[in-house]
Amino acid sequence: MAKITPFKAVRPSADKVALVTCRTYDDYSSAELAAWLSFNPYSFLHVIHPAYAHAQKITLDKRFKGVLHKYQDFKEEEVLINEEQPVFYIYEIQSKGHVFTGIIAGASIDDYQKGHIKKHEDTLQYRVELFKDYLHQTGFNTEPVLITYPESVAINTFIGLQKKHDPIYSFATPNKEKHTLWKIDTQSEIDWLQEHFENIPNLYIADGHHRSASAELLFEQDKHLGNKNLNYFMSFLIAESNVKIYEFNRIIRDLNGLSKDDFITKLSDNFIIKPKDQELWKPQNKFEFGMYLDGSFYALFYKQSQKATSVLENLDAQILYDTVLHPLLGIEDLRNDERIDYIPGKQSVSVIKDLVDEGEYEVGFMLYPTNMSEIKTIADKNLIMPPKSTYIEPKFRSGLVVYEL
């Protein structure tokens, strides 16, 4: 069963919501970040990155205290306001042909610890501890964990009825997205939603493995304080059919001492190779890979006889690692090796071509996206996907809804 809870959120005043909310901090280049901070005094970027110009010169402790102070300033100035009672929200994002709709709620730490909220990615302990310290010192989180639930006609109908009401927010953003938020605050509707989620045996983390792990670590550290908000972490719950899964493509700086001809010869042990010349070729099916090398594209078809029976070994990202990245290019640590970088699949293949043509990288590989069935099977078997296997949308806007701890 899945236990979800409403919470007393902090959110922007209606007249400033379009100015306050922002993309996640990592989405901005240095130039963009400086421009937004200079141009928009209401941006939540001022909260999550105070003293931007001096950020590299101060300790993490001072930076976290600066975040808290700026957050308190926003509340005192009523840029951010407190919800009067615990509520759920329906949140919809319309973005370039996709419409994502889900429920903002608190997800249970107990469910996470018991394995009812399943994960498919590994975490880096230093990142988990860093974000745990951030949560402990600032006392709030505005980046929910993206969690999927099985398709439900009843929940879809409930959401559809809620969307007939007037929203509390409806605004557009500079990246041409439309964001709409509805509040669920009547007790009967809150009870109905909780009861229906209790009938769902398992939920699956799509994005936010580090955030959920940090929330658990904070709970274990501070549970003796009796703060019930620590029993949950903010989540954006969305039907598994409503997420968009992209691949992460790979670009590598060198051929590990191999010549182009030797490298292609070694590739032929595991792949049927078809030149595509200047065609911006992307894989059309599982077990297909694109490659850009020395000014030309290639289609790589994994040989049928090589396929394994394990779901993990049959993941395209794992196949590329097992047959190319590790044995041929000498890359062992996909997270930390400086010779490899990653490009989200939502970006054009031409981005990879340009990066290789500029000379900083020697070769690029394009993958076919993983599907939700593979993700769930990996999670159900308590297996871990290779790093950077998926880039999943939707992405939540920082500062839209704040969960206080």
Side-chain angles (χ1 to χ4, degrees):
M1 87 182 211
K3 185 176 181 180
I4 62 172
T5 190
F7 61 96
K8 291 181 67 174
V10 173
R11 55 184 176 83
S13 60
D15 63 324
K16 297 183 179 68
V17 61
L19 294 171
V20 172
T21 65
C22 60
R23 307 195 311 270
T24 56
Y25 167 74
D26 290 339
D27 270 2
Y28 294 88
S29 67
S30 297
E32 276 187 298
L33 190 61
W36 274 107
L37 289 169
S38 176
F39 167 75
N40 180 6
Y42 295 115
S43 174
F44 204 75
L45 289 168
H46 287 283
V47 174
I48 56 180
H49 208 308
Y52 168 70
H54 309 290
Q56 304 303 320
K57 303 175 185 177
I58 60 177
T59 64
L60 282 175
D61 183 64
K62 287 184 177 179
R63 188 180 303 178
F64 293 160
K65 287 179 179 177
V67 170
L68 176 58
H69 290 155
K70 194 64 179 179
Y71 176 67
Q72 291 171 336
D73 287 345
F74 268 42
K75 292 182 69 175
E76 289 173 5
E77 296 165 1
E78 297 185 343
V79 176
L80 299 174
I81 59 175
N82 289 291
E83 201 71 72
E84 294 182 357
Q85 66 185 61
V87 301
F88 291 124
Y89 298 99
I90 303 295
Y91 178 37
E92 180 176 274
I93 307 167
Q94 297 182 26
S95 171
K96 298 177 183 176
H98 296 288
V99 178
F100 304 103
T101 309
I103 300 159
I104 303 173
S108 167
I109 290 288
D110 186 57
D111 283 350
Y112 179 79
Q113 292 180 325
K114 290 179 177 177
H116 298 311
I117 298 176
K118 295 179 176 289
K119 52 193 177 182
H120 66 268
E121 287 186 6
D122 208 352
T123 54
L124 296 173
Q125 190 60 26
Y126 83 90
R127 284 185 58 190
V128 172
E129 292 183 1
L130 179 64
F131 193 61
K132 182 266 295 180
D133 292 341
Y134 170 90
L135 295 175
H136 176 75
Q137 293 195 48
T138 64
F140 73 88
N141 178 35
T142 186
E143 296 186 19
V145 177
L146 183 65
I147 294 180
T148 66
Y149 59 85
E151 199 67 36
S152 166
V153 173
I155 294 176
N156 286 345
T157 301
F158 176 86
I159 290 174
L161 291 172
Q162 296 301 316
K163 288 168 61 176
K164 292 182 178 180
H165 299 157
D166 290 336
I168 56 174
Y169 300 141
S170 182
F171 63 97
T173 54
N175 59 345
K176 298 182 179 180
E177 291 181 347
K178 182 182 178 183
H179 299 261
T180 311
L181 192 73
W182 295 264
K183 181 164 61 174
I184 303 172
D185 56 1
T186 62
Q187 193 59 50
S188 60
E189 291 173 329
I190 288 173
D191 291 344
W192 186 94
L193 200 55
Q194 288 181 307
E195 289 170 6
H196 273 71
F197 269 89
E198 285 178 357
N199 293 324
I200 297 175
N202 296 307
L203 302 174
Y204 293 82
I205 296 176
D207 189 27
H209 287 79
H210 284 88
R211 295 191 290 277
S212 54
S214 297
E216 179 193 21
L217 198 62
L218 181 66
F219 168 79
E220 292 296 342
Q221 173 184 293
D222 293 346
K223 61 183 177 182
H224 65 281
L225 299 175
N227 180 358
K228 292 184 179 180
N229 287 350
L230 294 177
N231 296 340
Y232 296 87
F233 55 92
M234 186 168 68
S235 299
F236 185 36
L237 301 153
I238 188 168
E240 58 189 39
S241 62
N242 196 208
V243 298
K244 176 65 176 174
I245 305 174
Y246 297 92
E247 72 281 8
F248 261 112
N249 297 314
R250 280 85 163 111
I251 47 176
I252 294 89
R253 297 182 187 279
D254 59 68
L255 294 183
N256 197 31
L258 295 171
S259 68
K260 170 188 169 182
D261 290 341
D262 286 344
F263 180 60
I264 290 177
T265 298
K266 290 179 180 294
L267 282 178
S268 65
D269 291 342
N270 289 298
F271 299 93
I272 297 169
I273 304 172
K274 294 185 177 180
K276 294 291 182 178
D277 299 320
Q278 294 304 301
E279 179 185 349
L280 296 175
W281 193 84
K282 288 186 67 174
Q284 305 300 305
N285 297 286
K286 186 174 172 55
F287 301 120
E288 297 177 4
F289 302 82
M291 181 175 72
Y292 184 70
L293 173 65
D294 193 26
S296 297
F297 284 91
Y298 298 83
L300 310 180
F301 301 93
Y302 191 49
K303 293 181 179 178
Q304 298 288 325
S305 61
Q306 310 291 105
K307 295 177 185 176
T309 56
S310 161
V311 62
L312 180 59
E313 293 176 345
N314 269 333
L315 284 177
D316 284 0
Q318 189 68 44
I319 290 169
L320 188 68
Y321 176 77
D322 289 340
T323 60
V324 181
L325 300 182
H326 186 204
L328 303 186
L329 298 180
I331 294 172
E332 296 187 14
D333 188 343
L334 290 172
R335 288 189 184 275
N336 299 309
D337 196 314
E338 294 182 353
R339 295 170 56 227
I340 185 170
D341 281 315
Y342 302 89
I343 306 295
K346 65 179 297 184
Q347 295 190 30
S348 170
V349 174
S350 63
V351 172
I352 294 174
K353 178 182 185 302
D354 291 343
L355 288 169
V356 173
D357 287 347
E358 288 168 4
E360 185 176 353
Y361 300 90
E362 188 89 8
V363 62
F365 294 98
M366 290 69 77
L367 285 73
Y368 188 72
T370 301
N371 60 50
M372 183 55 67
S373 176
E374 290 176 311
I375 290 174
K376 291 176 67 175
T377 301
I378 291 287
D380 287 340
K381 293 180 178 294
N382 295 316
L383 299 172
I384 298 298
M385 297 176 73
K388 298 291 186 180
S389 291
T390 57
Y391 179 90
I392 299 180
E393 289 187 335
K395 300 298 184 184
F396 203 88
R397 284 187 76 78
S398 293
L400 180 68
V401 175
V402 181
Y403 184 90
E404 291 193 332
L405 300 165

